[in-house]
Amino acid sequence: MDTQVAIIGGGPSGLLLSQLLNKAGISTIVLERSTREHVLSRIRAGILEWGTVEMLRKAGVNLRMESEGFPHDGCYMTDEDLMVHIDFKELTGKQVMVYGQTEVTADLYAAQDAMGTQIIHEVEDVKILDLDQEEAAVEYTLKGERKRITCAYVAGCDGFHGVSRKTIPEEKRREFERVYPFGWLGILSETPPCNDELIYCNSPRGFALASMRNAKLSRYYIQVPLTDKVEDWSDEAFWEELKSRLPSETAAKMQTGPSIEKSIAPLRSFVSEPLRWGRLFLVGDAAHIVPPTGAKGLNLAASDVHYLHEALVDALTKGDMTGIDTYSEVALKRIWKAMRFSWSMTTMMHRFDGEDEFAGAMRRSTLEHLASSETARRELAENYIGLPY
Ligand code: RFL
Ligand code: PHB
């Protein structure tokens, strides 16, 4: 056998799984479609649940996160005038960490390089084979040459558009999907954040989010119609729209500047079941997508990795197949709870085109309930900081 576990996809799921397996003495080969520069240029998640932080510690990739990340004790949920503070620390005893996915991925690449793991970039036409045999195989093309590796297991960590999920026969997959009729236009700008904690804002003009990466780098998002293109939005138009949606006190404090990244992400909820097909396991965005409103995508990928790495270590070092046999069922339970939370945050915080007045009244009432009920705030906080593994 060429390696114990072949990992398709060198994003955060694939790299974290590889790192944890290598630390437990299990060999891996990671196959990634893009260049490393491309993977590291994608600006995505910014919030780590404490469970994700603990996993990065276990993987030994915590040093830069501990010194450069920012633990946050809470966040704000607002509309144009009612600002509700959700105090995670007081309500749950836990925090979240502001540390970008790009940084997590860069730290994982550095750790994997130090381990000497084979990460093969720019692979094309990956095919996963022999999943019902003693040994599985993965074929791919590298620089025009067809290659083949054999392995005990394959981890499908290749994101929503990867090949792993589609390797499971269509009639054996059950897919659940909700596509939202809007996207998020996001910018990164070298300006100080407008607030010390994140602000999720449900304005009559649509959703807005004020987030950050550090004291000098801000990340902002606004809800836009799916028909909008990034080119339609100048920096000036973005800042003006953002300020018109945030509470006026916050907008007044906001420092603006040129954007250093600008992109539109459509919002979708998606789950594909099961997560196992013979010797293949799906992990992260390859199996499920959440709208970013609950900050759950990367964190769900990390909890899948948690369950799967334990299962693979038990199977490959002790011959104990319990974790392998229960991975799909156990991981899906947590995935569905995060689906529910992300869907409810999305519904509560966004304006739907053509909606009636009742919808707006429901959003306002949800916010007023949060303002007056500690139980409601605790429920939100418990989900936001991350449900237990
Ligand atoms: P990724 O990151 O998509 O990585 C998959 C990798 O697989 C490669 N690949 C292939 N490799 C080989 N062969 C093939 N055939 C392949 N096909 C694809 C790809 O090149 C890629 O490198 O999936 P992964 O590792 O599961 O990680 C998931 C996270 O990236 C994702 O869930 C989060 O970014 C979602 N997300 C957020 N999650 C959070 O937890 N908190 C947040 O605050 C948060 N904010 C966000 C987000 C996602 C966003 N966008 C753009 C979708 C904000 C945004 C705007
Ligand atoms: C981000 O900073 O990119 C971010 C933060 C919170 C979210 C989504 C994205 O819910």
Side-chain angles (χ1 to χ4, degrees):
M1 230 186 294
D2 297 310
T3 189
Q4 287 174 292
V5 183
I7 298 179
I8 322 291
S13 314
L15 296 171
L16 180 57
L17 179 65
S18 183
Q19 175 71 9
L20 287 164
L21 291 175
N22 295 165
K23 280 196 81 114
I26 292 167
S27 62
T28 57
I29 296 177
V30 180
L31 301 175
E32 166 57 48
R33 187 180 53 186
S34 308
T35 61
R36 188 176 293 206
E37 293 67 38
H38 178 77
V39 176
L40 291 173
S41 69
R42 295 190 297 230
I43 308 292
R44 288 182 164 188
I47 302 289
L48 307 181
E49 294 174 353
W50 217 254
T52 306
V53 169
E54 298 287 0
M55 279 190 63
L56 292 169
R57 284 182 179 151
K58 183 172 176 186
V61 284
N62 52 317
L63 285 183
R64 212 158 61 92
M65 173 182 72
E66 314 273 6
S67 66
E68 296 177 21
F70 293 85
H72 275 204
D73 290 351
C75 73
Y76 289 87
M77 313 292 292
T78 82
D79 60 11
E80 68 266 75
D81 60 341
L82 177 59
M83 200 142 171
V84 184
H85 188 227
I86 312 290
D87 190 330
F88 310 143
K89 192 79 186 287
E90 186 189 281
L91 294 161
T92 68
K94 301 239 173 75
Q95 298 166 297
V96 294
M97 178 76 92
V98 172
Y99 191 62
Q101 177 169 331
T102 320
E103 309 308 323
V104 172
T105 311
D107 295 349
L108 282 163
Y109 271 124
Q112 284 279 277
D113 287 347
M115 286 267 188
T117 307
Q118 238 187 305
I119 303 178
I120 307 172
H121 285 274
E122 298 183 80
V123 300
E124 293 170 295
D125 198 16
V126 170
K127 288 221 162 38
I128 306 169
L129 305 158
D130 298 343
L131 290 167
D132 55 355
Q133 305 293 309
E134 278 295 294
E135 245 179 38
V138 179
E139 288 182 359
Y140 59 96
T141 301
L142 185 66
K143 299 194 173 82
E145 219 180 296
R146 197 71 185 151
K147 311 252 183 193
R148 178 185 173 93
I149 50 179
T150 52
C151 54
Y153 295 106
V154 182
C157 305
D158 48 356
F160 183 64
H161 299 288
V163 295
S164 300
R165 184 178 68 254
K166 293 168 201 147
T167 300
I168 304 179
E170 205 175 340
E171 68 279 9
K172 302 290 179 190
R173 272 185 270 143
R174 186 155 181 218
E175 298 190 342
F176 302 80
E177 186 169 45
R178 176 144 307 179
V179 177
Y180 301 90
F182 41 73
W184 279 17
L185 168 65
I187 69 159
L188 194 64
S189 91
E190 286 170 329
T191 49
C194 64
N195 195 50
D196 57 346
E197 290 178 344
L198 269 67
I199 302 177
Y200 288 85
C201 182
N202 152 22
S203 112
R205 296 182 64 87
F207 173 78
L209 169 60
S211 180
M212 65 195 74
R213 291 292 177 272
N214 60 47
K216 294 189 191 134
L217 198 55
S218 299
R219 180 78 167 149
Y220 295 105
Y221 297 95
I222 55 174
Q223 171 188 352
V224 292
L226 280 175
T227 43
D228 278 19
K229 301 268 167 296
V230 173
E231 309 77 71
D232 301 339
W233 285 90
S234 65
D235 288 355
E236 292 67 32
F238 180 91
W239 290 117
E240 196 181 320
E241 185 60 33
L242 177 70
K243 284 185 179 180
S244 76
R245 296 187 188 189
L246 290 173
S248 46
E249 265 179 43
T250 311
K253 287 190 296 187
M254 180 167 305
Q255 283 192 35
T256 62
S259 64
I260 54 172
E261 195 266 355
K262 197 189 278 168
S263 52
I264 294 182
L267 266 63
R268 173 197 309 268
S269 298
F270 173 83
V271 184
S272 179
E273 298 184 347
L275 304 184
R276 177 190 179 187
W277 184 248
R279 294 183 174 273
L280 169 69
F281 299 89
L282 301 182
V283 180
D285 279 17
H288 43 76
I289 297 289
V290 283
T293 329
K296 287 285 162 262
L298 174 62
N299 293 302
L300 263 191
S303 62
D304 290 354
V305 169
H306 164 80
Y307 296 123
L308 185 59
H309 100 273
E310 289 199 334
L312 290 170
V313 171
D314 284 351
L316 290 164
T317 62
K318 298 184 239 159
D320 176 354
M321 303 300 282
T322 321
I324 293 281
D325 291 336
T326 57
Y327 168 69
S328 185
E329 191 190 329
V330 171
L332 278 165
K333 278 202 169 39
R334 191 173 188 280
I335 289 163
W336 275 112
K337 289 178 197 158
M339 282 289 146
R340 185 202 68 83
F341 176 65
S342 304
W343 160 83
S344 77
M345 284 279 284
T346 303
T347 314
M348 171 173 89
M349 302 300 296
H350 290 77
R351 209 193 135 71
F352 287 73
D353 251 3
E355 68 179 24
D356 55 15
E357 291 199 342
F358 184 80
M362 286 299 101
R363 283 200 296 273
R364 173 72 190 185
S365 166
T366 305
L367 198 61
E368 285 188 354
H369 181 50
L370 276 177
S372 60
S373 161
E374 188 179 293
T375 307
R377 289 196 297 281
R378 182 168 289 114
E379 200 266 339
L380 196 157
E382 179 187 45
N383 282 281
Y384 195 93
I385 58 108
L387 297 174
Y389 289 177

